[in-house]
Amino acid sequence: MTPENQPRARGEAARDPLHRGSNPELVIDVEKLNKSFGTKHVVRDFSLQVRRGEIYGFLGPNGSGKTTSIRMLCGLLKPDSGRGTCLGYDVVRETAQIKREVGYMTQRFSLWEDLTIRENLEFVARMYGMRDRKEAVASALRELNLHERQDQLAGTLSGGWKQRLALAACMLHRPKLLLLDEPTAGVDPQARRDFWEEIHGLAAKGISVLVSTHYMDEAERCHRLAYIAYGKLLATGTPDEVLHLFRLRTWAVSGQPARLVALAAELHGEPGISHVTAFGNTLHVTGEDEAELEKAVSKYFDEKDLAWRKAEAGLEDVFIHLMQSAPEAEQ
Amino acid sequence: MRFSWSRWVGIIVKEFIQLKRDRLTFGMIIGIPVIQLILFGYAINSDPKRLPTAVLSADASAYSRTLLAAMQTSGYFRIEKNVADENELEEMMAHGTVQFAVTIPENFGRKLVRGERPVLLVEADASDPAAIGNAVAALAQIASSSLNRDLGGSLAELKAVASPIDMRVHRRYNPEGVTAYNIVPGLLGTILTMTMVLMTGLAMTRERERGTFENLLSTPALPIEVMTGKIIPYILIGLVQVTLIVVAALLLFKVPMQGNPLLLYFVVLIFIAANLTLGITFSSVARNQLQSMQMTFFFFLPSILLSGFMFPFRGMPDWAQWLGSLLPLTHFLVLVRGIMLKGNTLDELWPAIWPILAFMLVVIGIGLGFYKRTLD
């Protein structure tokens, strides 16, 4: 509760007014946020800028600090150090204002399972002190096609419906910024597609969205991406920029499954090869240097049962590469 | 940020709906007072009578028969068996099949008539002192007055001599020493302590365990709104419990209501509020429901044992009385017994009211300090 106890880097304060707050286009602008639980340094020097109306994808393996970062942005956790703003409000001191204007969807379903859909929405509407509560709830039910199920207990809903309800609840007070923590985990592909259409619709209306995910197809649907691992932000940029962060070259090879498993083991750790990933019946062999990669794989070109072709390195290849070159030893 | 009535009402409404859906808890809230009241109200008796007694009599005189008959009619002794030898008597005592063993020696009657003050031995199983207290007290009376009728004529000089003073004892407020008059009002306090602290103790930890606390925290709701909003439904539940118990006390146990029933509800309300603040504070301090339950029991046991509900408060050493005075139940017992049995007024009750209020203020201060606005 003491906002003064964060170290401020000297000199940075001077450029502060130019850099933050004054730029209305930035809905999230945080710098060097840190968070530890006990001896575990969960988030290190986390900096992020999200522009208005942007869908910002937040990627990283489990336990990389995504949820902790999001919680710091919406005032649920107090950063140990660092500073910044969310919707122009200070993330340490003005959490009450942030809470009122941000919609936060938790990773785990966190509405009340023993309340009905309508009761949940009405409760949330009351918490935000909405004057037009009845209308807001009715229109939320209508928009999300939850009208017929309004008297069903939230706990009896399937995963997809729970997710729709959670989204409806965090949208209810018409927030300017949505923070969605793995909103599509455990949801079927159709529901995921619908969900992303909804998100794009919202972004078109000027609502900014920060969404964390594990799915590469979802990452590609974002305007910008950030990749975090071991509490450190490793890369940011548009999907295209991230894709070309490294000059990754990939060879795809298909063949008998048993042979591919053996081949993966043989190629693993060879000079010129950064990683080998299985995609169904093909193996992606990726390296940073075209010549060295080719040298490593060319000795298998003659093998009869294997079919080799050049492939595009995908986001997943980039992230795996990032993971492997990350300084995990700091843990 | 200012306190918002609309948010506060929202939290109360939510708690009521959840309570309504939780049938088991709801059943317990109504069931616990009724079951405990009937069970304890009828079962607990601090004045045990008809205690099993064995007699070893080596004397067949009319005097020993009179004495034994007097013991039976006192109501405290039930002569189960006349035994033939000491070993058997010893065995029955050791096994606990009898509470008392009476030994009447040979020539008891003859020695009595001779004025030799013969010994009549009554052995009592004093492993539970409370069980025999009143029976032993009754023996003195039996010894002095039961033989008066038999000692007529020339033996009149052997009659018990009257005491030089006339000591009169008035047992006020409960002249017949009916245990229920003491127990039933006391149960009001213990039942409220248990259900109120337990229920609210789970209120906040439940949110935390189910993950809904994160959602609650991400809304602008203030700690004071959440804490008091969660308390209100339980105040109403507490009042329902009180009404159940008071009605049963009056109808089933015929406990008198000497004082003002409205005054009773007033002090009950204060007591409920004190317990609820404690529960909600446990709930803020505890990490999960189990811890909260443990804290509740940690508080509940001394409340029962040191408050004067189970054992006489004045019987405890000073330090224990001091400890007991910290507990709201101690003062509440004074209040309820005062109103129901003694017909006390507010003036007379005030010394027992303010300590409960003080307890409440301290506890709510601790609770608000522990309520976390963040997930840290």
Side-chain angles (χ1 to χ4, degrees):
Chain A
M1 303 293 153
T2 49
E4 285 78 23
N5 62 359
Q6 349 140 28
R8 269 178 176 252
R10 267 174 234 281
E12 271 185 353
R15 70 178 176 97
D16 193 31
L18 294 170
H19 183 63
R20 306 191 285 124
S22 61
N23 187 348
E25 281 305 301
L26 290 180
V27 286
I28 296 176
D29 184 6
V30 294
E31 213 176 337
K32 293 190 170 166
L33 295 184
N34 278 281
K35 186 74 193 174
S36 304
F37 295 111
T39 56
K40 205 167 180 315
H41 202 156
V42 181
V43 173
R44 290 165 196 275
D45 294 337
F46 176 74
S47 302
L48 189 70
Q49 275 83 36
V50 178
R51 294 193 193 92
R52 186 175 307 283
E54 205 167 50
I55 301 176
Y56 206 106
F58 199 23
L59 291 104
N62 287 328
S64 56
K66 296 194 298 288
T67 299
T68 306
S69 303
I70 291 178
R71 283 174 174 171
M72 282 195 285
L73 292 175
C74 63
L76 286 185
L77 286 175
K78 191 172 158 280
D80 297 335
S81 67
R83 62 213 168 92
T85 58
C86 187
L87 293 170
Y89 299 113
D90 189 290
V91 291
V92 178
R93 275 164 304 194
E94 295 171 306
T95 55
Q97 285 88 332
I98 293 176
K99 284 178 183 179
R100 259 186 297 184
E101 293 182 23
V102 166
Y104 170 46
M105 181 169 162
T106 54
Q107 187 172 354
R108 219 179 106 191
F109 181 71
S110 66
L111 287 164
W112 289 266
E113 300 208 332
D114 48 355
L115 297 186
T116 65
I117 291 174
R118 169 177 281 277
E119 286 160 355
N120 266 304
L121 292 175
E122 294 216 329
F123 176 70
V124 171
R126 274 202 166 102
M127 286 306 103
Y128 286 97
M130 298 183 66
R131 283 172 210 285
D132 53 345
R133 192 176 80 234
K134 290 264 171 336
E135 293 155 49
V137 170
S139 78
L141 287 169
R142 220 175 16 249
E143 271 174 40
L144 286 150
N145 261 329
L146 286 165
H147 211 82
E148 285 159 40
R149 293 166 171 258
Q150 58 172 309
D151 292 324
Q152 196 174 332
L153 290 183
T156 64
L157 293 171
S158 67
W161 283 104
K162 275 185 179 166
Q163 176 241 28
R164 299 182 83 151
L165 172 60
L167 184 66
C170 76
M171 286 293 304
L172 203 61
H173 61 292
R174 301 180 196 101
K176 296 184 186 129
L177 167 67
L178 282 178
L179 301 174
L180 311 173
D181 195 358
E182 291 187 23
T184 56
V187 170
D188 69 57
Q190 178 60 44
R192 268 173 57 197
R193 201 154 34 227
D194 293 348
F195 180 82
W196 274 89
E197 248 154 58
E198 173 104 29
I199 297 292
H200 272 275
L202 292 170
K205 288 185 209 160
I207 295 173
S208 322
V209 182
L210 177 70
V211 52
S212 76
T213 180
H214 281 303
Y215 300 108
M216 291 306 137
D217 59 314
E218 293 188 350
E220 284 161 8
R221 287 163 168 261
C222 296
H223 298 136
R224 292 179 79 79
L225 297 175
Y227 188 82
I228 184 173
Y230 313 115
K232 284 197 84 126
L233 202 57
L234 298 181
T236 55
T238 64
D240 210 43
E241 283 168 4
V242 172
L243 202 55
H244 296 104
L245 209 56
F246 308 101
R247 300 161 53 87
L248 288 185
R249 297 289 176 260
T250 294
W251 279 90
V253 53
S254 50
Q256 291 295 319
R259 175 63 193 128
L260 289 183
V261 172
L263 183 64
E266 285 167 34
L267 289 173
H268 188 84
E270 285 288 302
I273 293 174
S274 65
H275 63 94
V276 182
T277 323
F279 288 93
N281 287 331
T282 55
L283 215 54
H284 279 199
V285 185
T286 306
E288 263 190 288
D289 186 279
E290 189 158 18
E292 273 193 52
L293 177 66
E294 198 163 328
K295 208 175 106 192
V297 296
S298 58
K299 54 182 164 183
Y300 297 98
F301 282 177
D302 300 336
E303 204 172 315
K304 249 198 299 177
D305 294 335
L306 296 176
W308 291 86
R309 63 184 167 79
K310 278 197 165 178
E312 281 283 311
L315 274 175
E316 184 151 4
D317 293 312
V318 177
F319 292 142
I320 292 169
H321 189 77
L322 271 171
M323 272 286 285
Q324 286 174 346
S325 42
E328 58 186 295
E330 280 183 50
Q331 285 285 317
Chain B
M1 287 259 285
R2 299 252 305 277
F3 186 90
S4 150
W5 290 102
S6 122
R7 280 199 297 262
W8 191 64
V9 168
I11 290 164
I12 294 174
V13 169
K14 164 183 159 294
E15 290 297 314
F16 261 119
I17 297 172
Q18 289 185 301
L19 203 59
K20 192 182 76 187
R21 300 249 160 83
D22 189 355
R23 293 260 172 85
L24 186 70
T25 305
F26 200 73
M28 285 210 340
I29 287 163
I30 303 303
I32 284 180
V34 172
I35 292 170
Q36 291 199 337
L37 189 71
I38 290 180
L39 198 65
F40 301 144
Y42 282 117
I44 297 176
N45 179 12
S46 54
D47 185 20
K49 294 195 171 162
R50 295 178 52 72
L51 297 165
T53 305
V55 175
L56 171 64
S57 180
D59 179 73
S61 71
Y63 303 111
S64 46
R65 280 202 304 277
T66 305
L67 277 169
L68 291 176
M71 283 174 73
Q72 294 241 54
T73 48
S74 76
Y76 284 106
F77 305 92
R78 185 177 79 239
I79 295 174
E80 295 243 290
K81 210 173 174 194
N82 286 293
V83 295
D85 67 299
E86 271 173 49
N87 291 339
E88 198 182 347
L89 201 62
E90 184 62 35
E91 208 172 289
M92 289 181 90
M93 202 72 183
H95 285 160
T97 47
V98 292
Q99 193 87 32
F100 290 98
V102 179
T103 310
I104 303 176
E106 266 180 273
N107 301 325
F108 177 77
R110 194 172 301 162
K111 286 180 177 169
L112 180 89
V113 174
R114 285 193 205 135
E116 288 177 19
R117 293 198 77 221
V119 172
L120 190 144
L121 177 66
V122 180
E123 291 166 282
D125 178 351
S127 55
D128 179 2
I132 56 165
N134 285 344
V136 169
L139 280 175
Q141 178 71 19
I142 291 165
S144 66
S145 59
S146 64
L147 290 175
N148 282 358
R149 196 137 43 94
D150 290 358
L151 299 172
S154 61
L155 298 174
E157 66 196 64
L158 292 174
K159 278 186 189 174
V161 186
S163 150
I165 54 159
D166 182 6
M167 179 99 77
R168 290 200 185 167
V169 178
H170 283 193
R171 293 164 181 261
R172 290 181 65 187
Y173 311 124
N174 185 5
E176 287 152 58
V178 181
T179 309
Y181 287 10
N182 181 35
I183 287 289
V184 173
L187 277 176
L188 186 64
T190 42
I191 290 170
L192 282 177
T193 302
M194 189 168 90
T195 49
M196 294 294 103
V197 177
L198 190 64
M199 297 292 161
T200 46
L202 300 180
M204 209 80 85
T205 43
R206 194 184 297 131
E207 301 265 1
R208 205 165 292 156
E209 267 180 31
R210 291 184 184 171
T212 51
F213 194 60
E214 190 176 0
N215 209 319
L216 202 57
L217 267 184
S218 70
T219 72
L222 299 178
I224 188 80
E225 292 161 359
V226 176
M227 283 178 83
T228 54
K230 277 177 171 290
I231 281 178
I232 295 291
Y234 294 102
I235 290 186
L236 295 177
I237 284 168
L239 289 178
V240 170
Q241 290 185 330
V242 168
T243 307
L244 274 175
I245 296 170
V246 169
V247 166
L250 298 179
L251 297 183
L252 291 180
F253 298 100
K254 311 276 187 248
V255 177
M257 173 65 92
Q258 303 287 355
N260 186 346
L262 284 179
L263 188 59
L264 180 67
Y265 272 87
F266 172 70
V267 299
V268 158
L269 219 52
I270 294 176
F271 182 64
I272 288 176
N275 281 306
L276 292 179
T277 48
L278 181 72
I280 212 91
T281 298
F282 281 172
S283 205
S284 305
V285 176
R287 295 248 172 92
N288 52 46
Q289 299 197 48
L290 185 68
Q291 284 185 1
S292 175
M293 297 259 271
Q294 287 172 328
M295 289 187 196
T296 303
F297 281 100
F298 184 72
F299 174 76
F300 187 59
L301 263 181
S303 279
I304 280 196
L305 299 177
L306 299 184
S307 66
F309 169 69
M310 227 168 212
F311 307 110
F313 188 75
R314 295 222 168 80
M316 302 191 302
D318 286 346
W319 60 265
Q321 289 195 22
W322 182 82
L323 212 61
S325 318
L326 297 177
L327 304 167
L329 184 60
T330 306
H331 304 283
F332 183 69
L333 290 178
V334 173
L335 294 175
V336 187
R337 289 170 184 165
I339 293 170
M340 291 188 84
L341 303 181
K342 299 182 177 180
N344 282 166
T345 59
L346 188 57
D347 282 357
E348 292 162 319
L349 296 175
W350 178 246
I353 292 178
W354 70 260
I356 302 182
L357 292 173
F359 176 87
M360 192 159 76
L361 282 177
V362 170
V363 166
I364 204 156
I366 297 171
L368 282 174
F370 268 98
Y371 184 98
K372 294 182 185 71
R373 283 160 208 264
T374 60
L375 285 168
D376 286 87

